[in-house]
Amino acid sequence: MQDDLYSNQTTCVELVKYYLNRISENAVLNAFLEVFDADALAQATFIDSKIKTKTAGRLAGMVIGIKDNIAYKGHKFSASSRILEGFESVYSSTVVERLLKEDAIIIGRLNCDEFAMGSSNENSAFGKVLHPLDHSRVPGGSSGGSAVAVAADLCLATLGSDTGGSIRQPAAFCGVYGLKPTYGRVSRYGIIAFASSFDQVGPFTRSLSDAAILTEVMSGVDGFDATLSRLPAPVLLPIEKSKGKKRIAVIKDLVAQGGLHQAVIDTYLASIEKLKLAGNIVEEVSFDYIKYTVPAYYMLTTAEASSNLSRFGGVVYGYRSDKSVDLDSTYKKSRTEGFGAEVKRRIMLGTFVLSEGFFDAYYTKAQKVRRVLRNKLAVILQDYEALLLPSTPSPAFKFGEKSKDPIEMYLEDIFTVLANLTGMPAISVPCAVDADNMPIGMQIIVNNFEEKKLFECAQELETIWKT
């Protein structure tokens, strides 16, 4: 696309107008909560002038949407919650600053599950996001608006956040690429926290190269985030073609554990066979801990959410109940009315996990499980370049199908939470479709800070499904 810009075949202004029209035509999807039309057009005009003088940045012409939990100075953001009603950011997140520095154009903010808590995008205070291929199905969550915006061609790329699969699961459901970088690779400064030791920002794209350049631009040292690695930003482009055989691990008896949709099983087994036929070594490894990942994840993330969300009380900013009569009732009524059901459920569960008498039984034990998972996966990845898993147990399910049973909904994260518990980078690659033409993605996990290897393995998986 940049070649077209530099050869005067199109302009950034024309691209923005195209996407603004696409957003308007597809408003029923409810992907965007707000469109920055005037800002985007002004930015496009400025970048067009830079293109003429050949001074434009690496992302010139890339029109991007951002999840509604990412701060952009002078713009509202609410994490799709009433509790932040009317709140406008006074600064930009580090990732937004880095995108703008390279001349990306931010076109709007995207719908998501409230405070990034959900696997279906049914929990937003501003209505559910519809799947672009079938409006009766969920787009995945929590970054459902981000996935849909890319899948429906409402912008070129988007940013989401991934706490337990909130990028990879909707990416798989919508048939696009979704990357969760290594924890500590991309700054979390300016991101509304759900669970601080899990959250990571990453891109949704329609190509691996776009995901790679966005990850490059967003990565690197940031003095505003003390949890960030001191490693420099990785060089991910060009994505190198496979040299020789890749050693890829798959979990023994994964399919036999049950709970997988037949189309996902078929795609998973076909991926293994295609990788072998392409000359790669794919071997089973013992990993008997998958069943512990979801319980450990929800013990730890709800505990962190209980702490992080305590700052929202209707006193300084955001929603304040008109039924308040004193300080105590201001907190109680504002939080009761401002938070949705799923957020309140997780706050209460996290408060219980952290309470006296239960802290060691739940929180401490879950931290021990997290360490076991990290150590065991690191051992596997010493002998293998990557671990291959399904991204999700099933293709996109129908609205209401799982929302009445929180446990069933939580189990949708069974294959994605492992990367968040261990901090390792992972990507969902679109591979196939089921009988209803719904996309199916496969997931690749590599060792910490090996994003370059992750993209090489993803390209190998992409290639075998395209041939």
Side-chain angles (χ1 to χ4, degrees), residues 16-77:
V16 169
K17 287 180 177 179
Y18 166 78
Y19 285 122
L20 290 174
N21 186 54
R22 289 287 302 165
I23 293 167
S24 177
E25 290 176 344
N26 292 274
V28 67
L29 297 176
N30 200 30
F32 278 86
L33 294 179
E34 185 179 5
V35 181
F36 309 144
D37 48 0
D39 283 358
L41 286 168
Q43 181 72 357
T45 301
F46 174 64
I47 295 169
D48 280 335
S49 67
K50 294 180 72 174
I51 288 173
K52 289 179 181 178
T53 58
K54 294 183 170 55
T55 58
R58 298 175 70 196
L59 301 182
M62 186 172 278
V63 181
I64 295 176
I66 57 175
K67 188 175 178 178
D68 190 37
N69 62 349
I70 300 174
Y72 184 14
K73 185 177 181 179
H75 297 78
K76 292 179 180 178
F77 77 137

Coordinates of all heavy atoms in Angstrom, one line a residue, residues 16-77:
V16 N -8.4 7.2 4.2 CA -9.3 7.5 5.4 C -10.7 7.7 5.0 O -11.6 7.1 5.7 CB -8.8 8.8 6.1 CG1 -9.8 9.3 7.2 CG2 -7.4 8.5 6.8
K17 N -11.0 8.3 3.9 CA -12.4 8.5 3.4 C -13.0 7.1 3.1 O -14.2 6.9 3.3 CB -12.4 9.4 2.2 CG -12.2 10.9 2.6 CD -12.2 11.8 1.3 CE -12.1 13.2 1.7 NZ -12.1 14.1 0.5
Y18 N -12.2 6.3 2.5 CA -12.6 4.9 2.2 C -13.1 4.2 3.5 O -14.2 3.6 3.5 CB -11.5 4.1 1.5 CG -11.8 2.6 1.4 CD1 -12.7 2.1 0.5 CD2 -11.2 1.7 2.3 CE1 -13.0 0.7 0.4 CE2 -11.4 0.4 2.2 CZ -12.3 -0.1 1.3 OH -12.6 -1.5 1.3
Y19 N -12.2 4.2 4.5 CA -12.5 3.5 5.7 C -13.7 4.2 6.5 O -14.5 3.5 7.1 CB -11.3 3.4 6.6 CG -10.3 2.4 6.1 CD1 -9.0 2.8 5.8 CD2 -10.7 1.1 6.0 CE1 -8.1 1.8 5.4 CE2 -9.8 0.1 5.5 CZ -8.5 0.5 5.2 OH -7.6 -0.4 4.8
L20 N -13.8 5.5 6.4 CA -14.9 6.2 7.1 C -16.2 5.7 6.4 O -17.2 5.5 7.1 CB -14.8 7.7 7.0 CG -13.7 8.3 7.8 CD1 -13.6 9.8 7.5 CD2 -13.9 8.1 9.3
N21 N -16.2 5.5 5.1 CA -17.4 5.1 4.4 C -17.7 3.6 4.8 O -18.8 3.3 5.0 CB -17.2 5.2 2.9 CG -18.4 4.8 2.1 OD1 -19.5 5.4 2.4 ND2 -18.3 3.9 1.2
R22 N -16.7 2.8 4.9 CA -16.8 1.4 5.3 C -17.4 1.3 6.7 O -18.3 0.5 7.0 CB -15.5 0.7 5.3 CG -14.9 0.4 3.9 CD -15.7 -0.7 3.2 NE -15.7 -2.0 3.9 CZ -16.6 -3.0 3.7 NH1 -17.5 -2.9 2.8 NH2 -16.5 -4.1 4.4
I23 N -16.9 2.2 7.6 CA -17.4 2.2 9.0 C -18.9 2.5 9.0 O -19.7 1.9 9.7 CB -16.6 3.1 9.9 CG1 -15.2 2.6 10.0 CG2 -17.3 3.3 11.2 CD1 -14.2 3.6 10.6
S24 N -19.3 3.5 8.3 CA -20.7 4.0 8.2 C -21.6 2.9 7.6 O -22.7 2.6 8.1 CB -20.8 5.3 7.3 OG -22.1 5.7 7.2
E25 N -21.1 2.2 6.6 CA -21.9 1.2 5.9 C -22.1 0.0 6.8 O -23.1 -0.7 6.7 CB -21.2 0.7 4.6 CG -21.2 1.8 3.5 CD -20.5 1.3 2.3 OE1 -19.7 0.4 2.4 OE2 -20.7 1.9 1.2
N26 N -21.2 -0.2 7.7 CA -21.2 -1.4 8.6 C -21.4 -1.0 10.1 O -21.0 -1.8 11.0 CB -19.9 -2.2 8.5 CG -19.7 -2.8 7.1 OD1 -20.2 -3.9 6.9 ND2 -19.1 -2.2 6.2
A27 N -22.1 0.0 10.3 CA -22.4 0.5 11.7 C -23.1 -0.5 12.5 O -23.0 -0.6 13.7 CB -23.2 1.8 11.6
V28 N -23.9 -1.4 11.8 CA -24.7 -2.4 12.6 C -23.8 -3.4 13.3 O -24.2 -4.0 14.3 CB -25.6 -3.2 11.6 CG1 -24.7 -4.0 10.6 CG2 -26.6 -4.1 12.3
L29 N -22.5 -3.5 12.9 CA -21.6 -4.4 13.6 C -21.3 -3.9 15.0 O -20.8 -4.7 15.9 CB -20.3 -4.6 12.8 CG -20.5 -5.2 11.4 CD1 -19.2 -5.3 10.7 CD2 -21.1 -6.6 11.5
N30 N -21.4 -2.6 15.2 CA -21.1 -2.0 16.5 C -19.7 -2.1 17.0 O -19.4 -2.2 18.1 CB -22.1 -2.5 17.6 CG -22.2 -1.6 18.8 OD1 -22.0 -0.4 18.7 ND2 -22.4 -2.2 20.0
A31 N -18.8 -2.2 16.0 CA -17.4 -2.3 16.3 C -16.7 -1.1 16.9 O -15.9 -1.1 17.8 CB -16.6 -2.8 15.1
F32 N -17.1 0.1 16.3 CA -16.6 1.4 16.8 C -17.5 2.0 17.8 O -18.7 2.2 17.5 CB -16.4 2.3 15.6 CG -15.1 2.1 14.8 CD1 -15.0 1.1 13.8 CD2 -13.9 2.8 15.2 CE1 -13.9 0.9 13.1 CE2 -12.8 2.5 14.4 CZ -12.7 1.6 13.4
L33 N -16.9 2.5 18.9 CA -17.7 3.3 19.8 C -17.6 4.8 19.5 O -18.5 5.6 19.8 CB -17.1 3.1 21.3 CG -17.3 1.7 21.9 CD1 -16.7 1.7 23.2 CD2 -18.8 1.3 21.9
E34 N -16.5 5.2 18.8 CA -16.4 6.5 18.4 C -15.4 6.6 17.2 O -14.4 5.9 17.2 CB -15.8 7.4 19.5 CG -15.7 8.9 19.2 CD -15.2 9.7 20.4 OE1 -14.8 9.1 21.4 OE2 -15.1 10.9 20.3
V35 N -15.7 7.4 16.2 CA -14.9 7.5 15.1 C -14.3 8.9 15.1 O -15.0 9.9 15.2 CB -15.7 7.3 13.8 CG1 -14.8 7.5 12.5 CG2 -16.4 6.0 13.8
F36 N -12.9 9.0 15.0 CA -12.2 10.3 15.0 C -12.1 10.8 13.6 O -11.0 11.0 13.1 CB -10.8 10.1 15.6 CG -10.8 9.4 17.0 CD1 -9.8 8.5 17.3 CD2 -11.9 9.6 17.9 CE1 -9.8 7.9 18.5 CE2 -11.8 8.9 19.1 CZ -10.8 8.1 19.4
D37 N -13.2 11.1 12.9 CA -13.2 11.4 11.5 C -12.4 12.7 11.2 O -11.5 12.7 10.3 CB -14.6 11.5 11.0 CG -15.5 12.3 11.8 OD1 -15.1 12.8 12.9 OD2 -16.7 12.4 11.4
A38 N -12.6 13.8 12.0 CA -11.9 15.0 11.7 C -10.4 14.9 12.0 O -9.6 15.3 11.2 CB -12.5 16.1 12.5
D39 N -10.1 14.3 13.1 CA -8.7 14.1 13.5 C -8.0 13.2 12.5 O -6.9 13.5 12.1 CB -8.6 13.4 14.9 CG -8.9 14.3 16.0 OD1 -9.1 15.5 15.8 OD2 -8.9 13.9 17.2
A40 N -8.7 12.1 12.0 CA -8.0 11.2 11.1 C -7.8 11.9 9.7 O -6.7 11.7 9.1 CB -8.9 10.0 10.9
L41 N -8.7 12.7 9.3 CA -8.5 13.4 8.0 C -7.4 14.4 8.1 O -6.7 14.6 7.2 CB -9.9 14.0 7.6 CG -10.9 13.1 7.0 CD1 -12.3 13.8 6.9 CD2 -10.5 12.5 5.7
A42 N -7.4 15.1 9.2 CA -6.3 16.1 9.4 C -5.0 15.5 9.5 O -4.0 16.0 8.9 CB -6.6 16.9 10.7
Q43 N -4.9 14.3 10.2 CA -3.6 13.6 10.2 C -3.2 13.1 8.9 O -2.1 13.1 8.5 CB -3.7 12.4 11.2 CG -2.5 11.6 11.4 CD -1.4 12.3 12.2 OE1 -1.5 13.5 12.6 NE2 -0.3 11.6 12.4
A44 N -4.2 12.6 8.1 CA -3.9 12.1 6.7 C -3.4 13.2 5.8 O -2.5 13.0 5.1 CB -5.2 11.5 6.2
T45 N -4.0 14.4 5.9 CA -3.5 15.5 5.1 C -2.1 15.8 5.4 O -1.2 16.1 4.5 CB -4.4 16.7 5.4 OG1 -5.8 16.4 5.0 CG2 -3.9 17.9 4.6
F46 N -1.7 15.8 6.7 CA -0.4 16.1 7.2 C 0.6 15.1 6.7 O 1.7 15.4 6.2 CB -0.3 16.2 8.7 CG 1.0 16.4 9.3 CD1 1.8 17.5 9.0 CD2 1.6 15.4 10.1 CE1 3.1 17.7 9.5 CE2 2.9 15.6 10.6 CZ 3.6 16.7 10.3
I47 N 0.2 13.8 6.7 CA 1.1 12.7 6.3 C 1.3 12.7 4.8 O 2.4 12.5 4.3 CB 0.6 11.4 6.8 CG1 0.6 11.3 8.3 CG2 1.4 10.2 6.2 CD1 -0.1 10.2 9.0
D48 N 0.2 13.1 4.1 CA 0.4 13.2 2.6 C 1.5 14.3 2.2 O 2.2 14.1 1.3 CB -1.0 13.6 2.0 CG -1.9 12.5 1.8 OD1 -1.4 11.3 1.7 OD2 -3.1 12.7 1.8
S49 N 1.5 15.3 3.0 CA 2.5 16.3 2.8 C 3.9 15.8 3.1 O 4.9 16.1 2.4 CB 2.3 17.6 3.6 OG 2.5 17.4 5.0
K50 N 4.0 14.9 4.1 CA 5.3 14.3 4.4 C 5.7 13.3 3.4 O 6.9 13.1 3.1 CB 5.3 13.7 5.8 CG 5.1 14.6 6.9 CD 5.0 13.9 8.3 CE 6.3 13.4 8.7 NZ 6.3 12.9 10.1
I51 N 4.8 12.6 2.8 CA 5.1 11.6 1.7 C 5.7 12.4 0.5 O 6.6 11.9 -0.1 CB 3.8 10.8 1.4 CG1 3.4 9.9 2.5 CG2 4.0 10.1 0.0 CD1 2.1 9.2 2.3
K52 N 5.1 13.5 0.2 CA 5.6 14.3 -0.9 C 7.1 14.7 -0.8 O 7.9 14.8 -1.7 CB 4.8 15.5 -1.2 CG 3.4 15.2 -1.7 CD 2.6 16.5 -1.9 CE 1.2 16.2 -2.4 NZ 0.3 17.4 -2.5
T53 N 7.5 14.9 0.5 CA 8.9 15.3 0.8 C 9.7 14.1 1.2 O 10.9 14.3 1.6 CB 8.9 16.4 1.9 OG1 8.3 15.9 3.1 CG2 8.2 17.6 1.4
K54 N 9.1 12.9 1.2 CA 9.8 11.7 1.5 C 10.3 11.7 2.9 O 11.5 11.2 3.2 CB 10.9 11.4 0.5 CG 10.4 11.0 -0.9 CD 11.5 10.7 -1.8 CE 11.0 10.1 -3.1 NZ 10.1 11.0 -3.9
T55 N 9.6 12.3 3.9 CA 9.9 12.3 5.3 C 9.0 11.6 6.2 O 9.0 11.7 7.4 CB 10.0 13.8 5.8 OG1 8.8 14.4 5.5 CG2 11.1 14.5 5.0
A56 N 8.1 10.8 5.5 CA 7.0 10.1 6.3 C 7.6 8.9 7.0 O 8.6 8.3 6.6 CB 5.9 9.6 5.4
G57 N 6.9 8.5 8.1 CA 7.4 7.4 9.0 C 7.1 6.0 8.4 O 6.4 5.9 7.3
R58 N 7.5 5.0 9.1 CA 7.3 3.6 8.6 C 5.9 3.2 8.5 O 5.5 2.3 7.8 CB 8.0 2.7 9.6 CG 9.5 2.9 9.7 CD 10.1 2.0 10.7 NE 10.1 0.6 10.3 CZ 10.3 -0.4 11.1 NH1 10.5 -0.2 12.4 NH2 10.3 -1.6 10.7
L59 N 5.0 3.8 9.3 CA 3.6 3.4 9.2 C 2.7 4.4 8.4 O 1.5 4.4 8.6 CB 3.0 3.3 10.7 CG 3.8 2.3 11.6 CD1 3.1 2.3 13.0 CD2 3.8 0.9 11.0
A60 N 3.3 5.2 7.6 CA 2.5 6.2 6.8 C 1.5 5.4 6.0 O 1.8 4.5 5.3 CB 3.4 7.0 5.9
G61 N 0.2 5.8 6.1 CA -0.8 5.2 5.4 C -1.5 4.1 6.1 O -2.6 3.6 5.6
M62 N -1.0 3.7 7.2 CA -1.7 2.6 8.0 C -2.7 3.2 8.9 O -2.5 4.0 9.8 CB -0.6 1.8 8.9 CG -1.2 0.6 9.6 SD 0.0 -0.4 10.4 CE 0.6 -1.4 9.0
V63 N -4.0 2.9 8.6 CA -5.1 3.4 9.3 C -5.5 2.4 10.4 O -5.8 1.2 10.1 CB -6.3 3.7 8.4 CG1 -7.5 4.2 9.2 CG2 -5.9 4.6 7.3
I64 N -5.5 2.8 11.7 CA -5.6 1.9 12.8 C -6.7 2.3 13.8 O -6.9 3.5 14.0 CB -4.2 1.9 13.6 CG1 -3.1 1.4 12.7 CG2 -4.3 1.2 14.9 CD1 -1.7 1.4 13.3
G65 N -7.4 1.3 14.3 CA -8.3 1.5 15.4 C -7.7 1.0 16.7 O -6.9 0.1 16.7
I66 N -8.1 1.6 17.8 CA -7.6 1.2 19.1 C -8.7 0.8 20.0 O -9.8 1.3 20.0 CB -6.7 2.3 19.7 CG1 -7.5 3.6 19.9 CG2 -5.5 2.6 18.9 CD1 -6.8 4.7 20.7
K67 N -8.4 -0.3 20.8 CA -9.4 -0.8 21.8 C -9.7 0.3 22.8 O -8.8 1.1 23.1 CB -8.8 -2.0 22.4 CG -9.7 -2.8 23.4 CD -9.0 -4.0 23.9 CE -9.9 -4.8 24.8 NZ -9.3 -6.1 25.3
D68 N -10.9 0.3 23.3 CA -11.4 1.3 24.2 C -10.8 1.3 25.6 O -11.3 1.9 26.5 CB -12.9 1.3 24.3 CG -13.5 2.5 25.0 OD1 -13.0 3.6 24.8 OD2 -14.5 2.3 25.8
N69 N -9.6 0.6 25.8 CA -8.9 0.7 27.1 C -7.5 1.2 26.9 O -6.7 1.1 27.7 CB -8.9 -0.7 27.7 CG -8.1 -1.7 26.9 OD1 -7.8 -1.5 25.8 ND2 -7.8 -2.9 27.5
I70 N -7.3 1.9 25.7 CA -5.9 2.4 25.4 C -6.1 3.9 25.3 O -6.9 4.5 24.5 CB -5.5 1.8 24.0 CG1 -5.3 0.3 24.1 CG2 -4.1 2.5 23.6 CD1 -5.0 -0.4 22.8
A71 N -5.3 4.6 26.1 CA -5.4 6.1 26.2 C -4.8 6.8 25.0 O -3.8 6.5 24.4 CB -4.6 6.6 27.4
Y72 N -5.6 7.8 24.5 CA -5.2 8.7 23.4 C -5.6 10.1 23.8 O -6.7 10.4 24.0 CB -6.0 8.3 22.2 CG -5.7 9.0 20.9 CD1 -4.5 9.8 20.8 CD2 -6.5 8.9 19.8 CE1 -4.3 10.5 19.6 CE2 -6.2 9.5 18.6 CZ -5.1 10.3 18.5 OH -4.8 11.0 17.3
K73 N -4.6 10.9 24.0 CA -4.8 12.3 24.6 C -5.8 13.1 23.9 O -5.9 13.1 22.6 CB -3.4 13.0 24.5 CG -3.5 14.4 25.2 CD -2.1 15.1 25.2 CE -2.2 16.4 25.8 NZ -0.8 17.1 25.8
G74 N -6.7 13.7 24.7 CA -7.8 14.5 24.1 C -9.0 13.7 23.6 O -9.9 14.3 23.0
H75 N -9.0 12.4 23.8 CA -10.1 11.6 23.4 C -10.6 10.8 24.5 O -9.9 10.4 25.5 CB -9.6 10.6 22.3 CG -9.1 11.3 21.1 ND1 -7.8 11.9 21.0 CD2 -9.7 11.5 19.8 CE1 -7.7 12.4 19.8 NE2 -8.8 12.2 19.1
K76 N -11.9 10.5 24.4 CA -12.6 9.7 25.5 C -12.1 8.2 25.4 O -11.8 7.7 24.3 CB -14.1 9.7 25.3 CG -14.7 11.1 25.6 CD -16.2 11.0 25.4 CE -16.8 12.4 25.7 NZ -18.3 12.4 25.4
F77 N -12.0 7.6 26.5 CA -11.9 6.1 26.6 C -12.5 5.6 27.9 O -12.5 6.3 28.9 CB -10.5 5.6 26.3 CG -9.5 5.7 27.5 CD1 -8.6 4.7 27.7 CD2 -9.4 6.9 28.2 CE1 -7.7 4.8 28.7 CE2 -8.5 7.0 29.3 CZ -7.6 5.9 29.5

